[in-house]
């Protein structure tokens, strides 16, 4: 997929949101204030970041852990919370087996601990809330998409927003209690009685594309490389212009 998106004629939305380079480069201290379990494998970590410059839904940050012996680990994490002026942001981390950083957060981190962050980063995957958005996520790929949904609700936006989210089972669906009529979950391993089990297919995507809001959809796809490939193929096959598919890969 292309890295830039040209807005449709007559629709004044920039394709790429400018990210202030100085803000993006400056490390700042964040204090962990709360840990909330989301699923058996995922938890949300609320951080107080007093000098946070603000973000747009969809953006991520760089996080740095430094061990007492000076060893440093850095990873990217999407911002789960909607932009607000609380001086806090939230991240949701999947626990990766033997994962250095996610393992520390899940097994060691406690409220009061400090870490470092810099950001927000990436103007490309940002959604300012001004264009119809079709969101496709899998696993923790739902995290930046949830920031978009929370923003849509918090601001009372009326621009169309739909989400297809894939999870292994209802127990592993992150933010399950918060998802509403905008979301269709797809379960790949086990599902409630009467709900089919399987991958996301054309049958999930086609009805959403058929809705075609004015100016069409901007699609945001987030998940593993394999999911990103699969979901973007489904979108293109259903008629979504490739240049209007934005992809964030978690690797
Ligand atoms: C832009 C961006 C945003 C991201 N946002 C999020 C987010 O919101 N939430 C989130 O949980 N993660 C997110 N990630 C992934 C995150 O950056 C880390 O890669 C992840 O937390 C693993 O780091 P770790 O230090 O725990 O594991 P590592 O110590 O780096 O890896 C340990 C082992 O696990 C394997 N591994 C690494 N990552 C994964 C994975 N995702 N699934 C399965 N195996 C893996 C490695 O190959 C290695 O064998 C994001 C990545 C990017 C690039």
């Amino acid at each position: 997929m292309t890295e830039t998106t040209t807005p449709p004629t007559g629709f004044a939305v920039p394709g790429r949101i400018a990210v202030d380079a100085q803000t993006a480069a400056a490390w700042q201290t964040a204090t962990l204030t709360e840990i909330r379990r989301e699923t058996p494998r995922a938890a949300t970590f609320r951080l107080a970041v007093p000098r946070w410059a603000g973000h747009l839904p969809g953006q991520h940050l760089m996080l740095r852990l430094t061990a007492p012996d000076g060893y440093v680990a850095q990873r990217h994490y999407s911002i789960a919370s909607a932009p607000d002026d609380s001086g806090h942001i939230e991240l949701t981390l999947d626990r990766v087996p033997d994962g250095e950083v996610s393992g520390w957060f899940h097994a060691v981190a406690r409220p009061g601990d400090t870490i470092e962050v810099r950001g927000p980063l990436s103007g490309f995957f940002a959604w300012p809330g001004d264009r119809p958005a079709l969101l496709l996520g899998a696993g923790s790929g739902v995290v930046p998409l949830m920031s978009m949904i929370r923003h849509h609700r918090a601001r009372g936006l009326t621009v169309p927003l739909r989400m297809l989210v894939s999870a292994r089972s209802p127990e592993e669906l992150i933010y399950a209690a918060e998802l509403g009529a905008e979301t269709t979950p797809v379960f790949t391993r086990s599902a409630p009685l009467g709900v089919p089990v399987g991958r996301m297919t054309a049958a999930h995507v086609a009805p959403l594309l058929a809705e075609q809001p004015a100016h069409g959809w901007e699609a945001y796809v987030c998940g593993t490389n394999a999911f990103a490939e699969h979901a973007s193929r489904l979108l293109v096959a259903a008629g979504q212009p490739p240049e209007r598919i934005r992809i964030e890969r978690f690797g």
Side-chain angles (χ1 to χ4, degrees), residues 99-188:
E100 210 167 54
V101 172
S102 66
W104 181 84
F105 270 92
H106 280 269
V108 180
R110 294 287 173 267
D113 288 347
T114 57
I115 56 162
E116 289 173 291
V117 296
R118 61 176 181 86
L121 307 175
S122 172
F124 183 63
F125 203 71
W127 180 67
D130 54 0
R131 67 195 85 175
L134 187 55
L135 318 178
L136 276 70
S140 55
V142 70
V143 174
L145 311 182
M146 194 65 210
S147 176
M148 299 177 189
I149 290 178
R150 287 170 166 162
H151 182 63
H152 191 265
R153 289 183 190 157
R155 297 290 162 98
L157 302 179
T158 53
V159 64
L161 186 73
R162 301 277 181 277
M163 179 161 77
L164 272 179
V165 62
S166 174
R168 280 176 231 184
S169 65
E171 297 71 40
E172 294 213 34
L173 178 60
I174 303 175
Y175 314 126
E178 249 189 274
L179 302 175
E182 80 292 310
T183 299
T184 305
V186 178
F187 298 112
T188 56

Side-chain angles (χ1 to χ4, degrees), residues 60 75-78 92-94 96-103 140 143 248-250:
H60 64 268
R75 302 287 184 274
H76 288 107
Y77 289 103
S78 297
T92 301
L93 272 65
D94 242 342
V96 169
D98 300 323
E100 210 167 54
V101 172
S102 66
S140 55
V143 174
E248 186 92 286
R249 295 162 196 271
F250 280 8

Side-chain angles (χ1 to χ4, degrees), residues 28-237:
Q28 43 184 316
T29 302
T31 306
L32 184 56
T33 59
E34 188 189 337
I35 303 174
R36 289 199 311 272
R37 180 133 303 282
E38 301 284 357
T39 70
R41 289 188 343 137
T44 291
F45 300 87
R46 187 168 175 82
L47 302 168
V49 193
R51 288 188 297 112
W52 187 244
H55 63 277
L56 287 169
Q59 288 188 296
H60 64 268
L61 52 69
M62 179 67 93
L63 184 151
R64 178 162 82 180
L65 297 181
T66 306
D69 66 359
Y71 175 78
V72 170
Q74 297 187 35
R75 302 287 184 274
H76 288 107
Y77 289 103
S78 297
I79 301 159
S81 45
D84 62 26
D85 54 10
S86 66
H88 288 73
I89 53 171
E90 293 188 351
L91 310 177
T92 301
L93 272 65
D94 242 342
R95 184 169 192 165
V96 169
D98 300 323
E100 210 167 54
V101 172
S102 66
W104 181 84
F105 270 92
H106 280 269
V108 180
R110 294 287 173 267
D113 288 347
T114 57
I115 56 162
E116 289 173 291
V117 296
R118 61 176 181 86
L121 307 175
S122 172
F124 183 63
F125 203 71
W127 180 67
D130 54 0
R131 67 195 85 175
L134 187 55
L135 318 178
L136 276 70
S140 55
V142 70
V143 174
L145 311 182
M146 194 65 210
S147 176
M148 299 177 189
I149 290 178
R150 287 170 166 162
H151 182 63
H152 191 265
R153 289 183 190 157
R155 297 290 162 98
L157 302 179
T158 53
V159 64
L161 186 73
R162 301 277 181 277
M163 179 161 77
L164 272 179
V165 62
S166 174
R168 280 176 231 184
S169 65
E171 297 71 40
E172 294 213 34
L173 178 60
I174 303 175
Y175 314 126
E178 249 189 274
L179 302 175
E182 80 292 310
T183 299
T184 305
V186 178
F187 298 112
T188 56
R189 303 246 175 105
S190 67
L193 206 62
V195 177
V197 174
R199 292 181 95 188
M200 199 176 279
T201 66
H204 295 107
V205 175
L208 296 174
L209 276 181
E211 286 181 26
Q212 271 304 325
H215 309 296
W217 293 108
E218 196 74 23
Y220 290 80
V221 175
C222 188
T224 59
N225 284 328
F227 175 78
E229 293 300 326
H230 176 67
S232 49
R233 278 207 189 99
L234 291 177
L235 284 166
V236 172

